[in-house]
């Protein structure tokens, strides 16, 4: 045991140590602030492109090559807002490009991004002459391409030919000759982690289908708001529908328990019913379903396990023929130790006990399982099983998007050896009641939307008849190098789906989230305006909030997309 004197000395030393750490932190913070000040955007110089090449604003999501999907996903702050030049990727790779000619009104420094990869002939051919200075190592991350070092090359006033060598390069900006450029290593990641490349609305060569016109600059349902009592972990997918002037939201509530680790929020879930007149101010109405939160006792898909341990992804659909609301939702077995913890998903159908469009609030009664793991399952559905479901009508029959995740390479890998991938496929039926059959014509899973990540698609139709699926485009987090935006895909016939486009709503509203997750709706409001309510994650807290944004449909773009699909 310590004596009182030793205790006192220990206490005094502890106080001194805390003070020293505090002072060190202050100096560190000032140093970091100083570095941030130094790294503010460099001042641009004006120039004219003599060739017929387009320019782009050097910012996140910018496409740096014409006729290409490669885009900036990370960039050093010094480069933000400069003007780059869209070079033709294929002709530069084939060495058939026209020399780039720029006209300057003053002496300048051209910022040239050079891709570097040891064993690739397209790179490492940059002419590092005496006038080329390396100023930013790993200064830009461009999807699908190697790391980028940025050189400053001086050019005199007048018309100049920019010819830095045979290797692939990109022009990221032009700054004044007297601009002081502090060399550093920005340490941004390799763009080849983001594979494949993807199309971001408003940043590619095509017209965007949707313009972001506004929305809330903060979450619309957040921790501490009325109705969130007892919800430890916030929200994830589900659906929002509009009946008359009222919005009805059916999110997955990650209820969890107080005093229990946050992961349990994913296990003890429930489906809530919320209502709103403006999609901003929400009132919780009721609980539709409550999961048991009971972990499995065996590793396989065994009836001994509670197969309703976690409940997710409730999709209300009005059946006009039956004059009542149907609900489709997902129930999981939950493993405590095996990834993914959500396993062997089953889709249940339920019906409102109140007839008519006003019966949306239920109560609902279960009508049984419509899809589950079984003899007609395929290995790509994986351990997660039938992980979501959304039905929609096409002609005189119905299609239903269903999904799977953590695939098996073969059934020999069942039940624990899984890969990575979040896939969707189509089932078909003659009615909303079923029976539903997996389509077996070789088109499943549907990889035309994205090769390995599509989650929770919700389908509707645009005014010209095009089918549109809006879905979770995947996180840029947790080791998943994905677009971190909501996405959409178009189809002319409801069966064959085109490549995803991603909607960068943070370009028009404050980005209060770190990880974008699931859109719950695309609700037409008239005058080509649509409402989207979405779930997202703020990594600073356990509670996952809900947001809202408004977008406007571009009818010219809609028309051209229909022509493309023909």
């Amino acid at each position: 045991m310590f004596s009182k004197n030793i205790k006192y000395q220990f206490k005094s030393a502890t106080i001194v140590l805390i003070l020293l750490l505090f002072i060190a932190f202050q100096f560190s913070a000032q140093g970091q602030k100083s570095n941030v000040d130094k790294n503010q955007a460099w001042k641009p110089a004006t120039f004219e492109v003599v060739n017929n090449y387009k320019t782009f604003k050097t910012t996140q999501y910018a496409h740096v090559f014409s006729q290409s999907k490669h885009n900036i996903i990370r960039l050093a702050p010094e480069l933000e807002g400069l003007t780059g030049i869209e070079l033709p990727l294929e002709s530069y790779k084939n060495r058939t490009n026209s020399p780039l000619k720029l006209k300057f009104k003053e002496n300048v420094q051209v910022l040239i991004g050079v891709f570097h990869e040891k064993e690739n002939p397209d790179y490492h051919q940059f002419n590092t002459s005496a006038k080329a200075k390396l100023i930013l190592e790993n200064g830009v991350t461009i999807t699908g391409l190697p790391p980028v070092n940025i050189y400053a090359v001086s050019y005199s006033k007048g018309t100049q030919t920019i010819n830095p060598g045979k290797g692939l390069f990109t022009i990221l900006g032009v700054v004044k000759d007297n601009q002081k450029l502090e060399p550093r290593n920005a340490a941004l990641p390799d763009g080849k982690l983001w594979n494949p490349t993807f199309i971001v609305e408003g940043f590619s060569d095509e017209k965007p289908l949707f313009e972001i016109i506004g929305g809330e600059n903060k979450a619309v349902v957040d921790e501490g708001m009325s109705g969130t009592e007892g919800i430890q972990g916030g929200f994830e997918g589900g659906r929002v529908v509009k009946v008359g002037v009222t919005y009805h939201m059916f999110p997955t509530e990650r209820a969890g328990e107080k005093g229990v680790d946050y992961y349990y929020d994913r296990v003890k879930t429930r489906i809530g019913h919320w209502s709103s007149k403006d999609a901003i101010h929400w009132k919780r109405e009721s609980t539709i379903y409550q999961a048991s939160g009971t972990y499995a006792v065996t590793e396989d898909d065994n009836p001994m396990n509670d197969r309703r341990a976690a409940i997710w992804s409730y999709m209300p659909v009005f059946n006009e023929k039956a004059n009542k609301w149907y609900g489709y939702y997902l129930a999981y077995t939950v493993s405590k130790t095996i990834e993914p913890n959500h396993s062997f998903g089953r889709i249940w159908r339920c019906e409102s006990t109140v007839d008519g469009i006003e019966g949306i609030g239920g109560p609902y009664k279960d009508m049984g399982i419509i899809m589950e793991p079984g003899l007609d399952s395929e290995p790509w559905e994986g351990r997660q099983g039938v992980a979501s479901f959304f039905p929609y009508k096409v002609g005189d029959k119905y299609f239903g998007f269903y999904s799977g995740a953590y695939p098996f390479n073969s059934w020999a890998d069942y039940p624990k050896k899984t890969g990575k991938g979040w896939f969707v496929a189509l089932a078909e039926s003659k009615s909303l009641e079923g029976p539903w059959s997996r389509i077996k014509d070789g088109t499943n899973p549907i990889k035309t939307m994205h090769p390995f990540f599509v989650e929770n698609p919700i389908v509707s139709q645009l005014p010209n008849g095009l089918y549109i699926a809006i879905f979770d485009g995947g996180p840029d987090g947790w080791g998943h190098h994905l677009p971190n935006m909501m996405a959409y895909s178009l189809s002319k016939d409801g069966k064959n789906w085109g490549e995803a486009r991603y909607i960068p709503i943070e370009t028009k509203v404050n980005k209060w989230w770190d990880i974008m997750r699931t859109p719950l709706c695309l609700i037409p409001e008239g005058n080509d305006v649509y409402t989207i309510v979405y779930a997202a994650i703020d990594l600073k807290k356990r509670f996952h909030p809900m947001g809202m944004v408004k977008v406007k449909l571009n009818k010219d773009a809609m028309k051209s997309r229909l022509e493309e699909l023909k």
Side-chain angles (χ1 to χ4, degrees):
M1 298 203 41
F2 289 118
S3 70
K4 288 184 179 179
N5 186 46
I6 293 174
K7 286 181 180 179
Y8 176 79
Q9 291 176 356
F10 180 79
K11 185 176 180 181
S12 299
T14 302
I15 292 171
V16 171
L17 179 60
I18 291 171
L19 286 171
L20 288 171
L21 287 171
F22 176 77
I23 292 167
F25 174 79
Q26 292 298 313
F27 276 110
S28 174
Q30 288 176 9
Q32 289 176 9
K33 183 177 186 301
S34 175
N35 286 334
V36 169
D37 290 341
K38 287 180 181 178
N39 294 335
Q40 293 305 305
W42 290 325
K43 295 178 182 178
T46 57
F47 65 92
E48 178 185 338
V49 182
V50 178
N51 312 68
N52 191 27
Y53 292 152
K54 295 180 181 177
T55 60
F56 63 87
K57 183 178 180 181
T58 304
T59 188
Q60 190 179 28
Y61 307 135
H63 285 236
V64 298
F65 297 109
S66 60
Q67 304 301 314
S68 161
K69 292 178 286 186
H70 300 289
N71 61 79
I72 295 172
I73 198 71
R74 301 277 194 279
L75 77 160
E78 296 96 317
L79 302 171
E80 182 67 45
L82 296 178
T83 300
I85 300 167
E86 232 182 65
L87 301 176
L89 177 63
E90 290 307 316
S91 63
Y92 265 74
K93 279 186 174 181
N94 298 332
R95 320 284 192 255
T96 58
N97 56 289
S98 301
L100 174 61
K101 292 186 178 181
L102 303 180
K103 185 176 182 180
F104 308 117
K105 295 181 179 180
E106 59 184 313
N107 295 344
V108 300
Q109 299 175 80
V110 178
L111 306 181
I112 302 175
V114 179
F115 300 89
H116 58 96
E117 191 172 54
K118 287 183 179 179
E119 299 177 359
N120 193 321
D122 286 334
Y123 313 117
H124 277 285
Q125 298 184 48
F126 179 59
N127 179 18
T128 53
S129 63
K131 63 178 181 179
K133 297 182 297 182
L134 176 60
I135 53 165
L136 283 175
E137 291 184 71
N138 305 303
V140 175
T141 300
I142 297 175
T143 56
L145 292 173
V148 183
N149 286 340
I150 296 164
Y151 291 81
V153 182
S154 298
Y155 288 92
S156 301
K157 176 182 177 180
T159 300
Q160 303 287 350
T161 299
I162 313 300
N163 186 21
K166 294 181 179 180
L168 185 66
F169 62 91
T170 179
I171 307 297
L172 294 165
V174 178
V175 298
K176 295 178 182 295
D177 188 55
N178 61 1
Q179 171 78 64
K180 188 176 181 181
L181 308 178
E182 296 284 351
R184 71 183 184 97
N185 189 341
L188 296 179
D190 187 344
K192 291 174 76 174
L193 293 171
W194 282 263
N195 189 25
T197 51
F198 49 88
I199 301 171
V200 182
E201 286 274 273
F203 289 89
S204 67
D205 294 330
E206 64 185 19
K207 289 182 180 179
L209 185 64
F210 293 106
E211 175 193 357
I212 300 101
I213 59 174
E216 292 300 291
N217 290 314
K218 58 183 180 180
V220 296
V221 188
D222 206 347
E223 188 174 18
M225 291 183 178
S226 177
T228 63
E229 301 85 1
I231 305 174
Q232 314 307 310
F235 305 97
E236 231 299 273
R239 193 184 186 196
V240 177
V241 296
K242 192 175 184 182
V243 178
V245 297
T246 303
Y247 299 88
H248 296 268
M249 178 168 65
F250 296 85
T252 301
E253 297 177 350
R254 297 159 37 91
E257 283 186 8
K258 287 185 178 179
V260 180
D261 186 83
Y262 71 91
Y263 193 82
Y264 195 56
D265 302 346
R266 293 167 45 85
V267 181
K268 194 167 185 179
T269 59
R270 65 190 187 203
I271 305 301
H273 173 211
W274 297 66
S275 67
S276 174
K277 296 296 184 184
D278 57 9
I280 300 171
H281 304 91
W282 291 90
K283 176 186 175 184
R284 194 176 190 278
E285 299 288 352
S286 65
T287 298
I288 302 298
Y289 283 103
Q290 171 73 61
S292 71
T294 304
Y295 284 105
V297 295
T298 72
E299 295 177 342
D300 60 344
D301 186 15
N302 193 307
M304 291 176 60
N305 299 324
D306 188 333
R307 290 174 168 173
R308 294 173 65 90
I311 292 177
W312 290 74
S313 191
Y314 186 88
M315 298 291 174
V317 176
F318 187 69
N319 186 337
E320 293 183 0
K321 185 177 179 181
N323 191 34
K324 63 177 61 179
W325 285 92
Y326 287 3
Y328 300 84
Y329 66 93
L330 167 62
Y332 282 122
T333 297
V334 180
S335 169
K336 203 168 188 176
T337 58
I338 303 171
E339 189 178 18
N341 299 77
H342 290 154
S343 303
F344 314 121
R346 288 171 162 80
I347 303 300
W348 286 74
R349 185 179 74 83
C350 59
E351 294 181 359
S352 175
T353 60
V354 179
D355 289 347
I357 196 79
E358 299 300 328
I360 188 169
Y364 286 81
K365 63 178 180 180
D366 281 326
M367 305 303 293
I369 295 169
I370 63 164
M371 287 193 77
E372 63 181 327
L375 294 177
D376 58 345
S377 298
E378 296 178 298
W380 66 263
E381 295 177 34
R383 184 176 171 91
Q384 202 155 36
V386 190
S388 71
F389 187 82
F390 187 86
Y392 57 98
K393 191 173 185 180
V394 176
D396 58 355
K397 67 178 179 179
Y398 290 87
F399 287 132
F401 268 119
Y402 71 99
S403 64
Y406 291 82
F408 302 119
N409 286 327
S410 71
W411 287 122
D413 292 337
Y414 174 90
K416 291 166 51 175
K417 187 179 178 182
T418 61
K420 290 292 178 72
W422 292 258
F423 303 108
V424 294
L426 287 175
E428 60 184 349
S429 175
K430 293 181 179 179
S431 71
L432 284 170
E433 294 83 6
W436 289 88
S437 302
R438 292 165 169 84
I439 292 177
K440 298 286 189 178
D441 62 0
T443 58
N444 285 335
I446 301 169
K447 295 186 177 182
T448 52
M449 300 162 79
H450 187 278
F452 63 89
F453 197 103
V454 177
E455 197 165 55
N456 297 316
I458 293 175
V459 179
S460 54
Q461 279 187 282
L462 296 177
N464 67 347
L466 276 176
Y467 293 89
I468 182 168
I470 187 167
F471 56 90
D472 176 354
D476 182 5
W478 308 315
H480 305 307
H481 297 283
L482 290 159
N484 204 30
M485 289 174 275
M486 64 181 73
Y488 73 86
S489 174
L490 298 175
S491 173
K492 182 175 176 289
D493 58 8
K495 185 174 186 295
N496 299 286
W497 291 88
E499 185 177 5
R501 267 69 171 172
Y502 297 84
I503 307 176
I505 66 173
E506 62 265 41
T507 59
K508 294 290 180 69
V509 299
N510 291 343
K511 187 182 178 184
W512 53 263
W513 65 91
D514 296 297
I515 297 177
M516 173 60 64
R517 292 313 316 263
T518 307
L520 279 73
C521 59
L522 183 66
I523 297 175
E525 307 286 12
N527 297 318
D528 300 321
V529 172
Y530 291 77
T531 296
I532 300 173
V533 177
Y534 59 92
I537 298 173
D538 179 348
L539 290 173
K540 295 185 294 296
K541 54 188 179 183
R542 174 174 176 172
F543 192 98
H544 297 177
M546 286 286 190
M548 187 276 281
V549 67
K550 299 276 189 181
V551 298
K552 189 175 180 67
L553 178 69
N554 183 322
K555 284 191 171 179
D556 289 337
M558 178 180 67
K559 182 179 179 181
S560 64
R561 299 288 176 85
L562 178 60
E563 292 301 316
E564 290 169 11
L565 291 170
K566 287 181 179 179

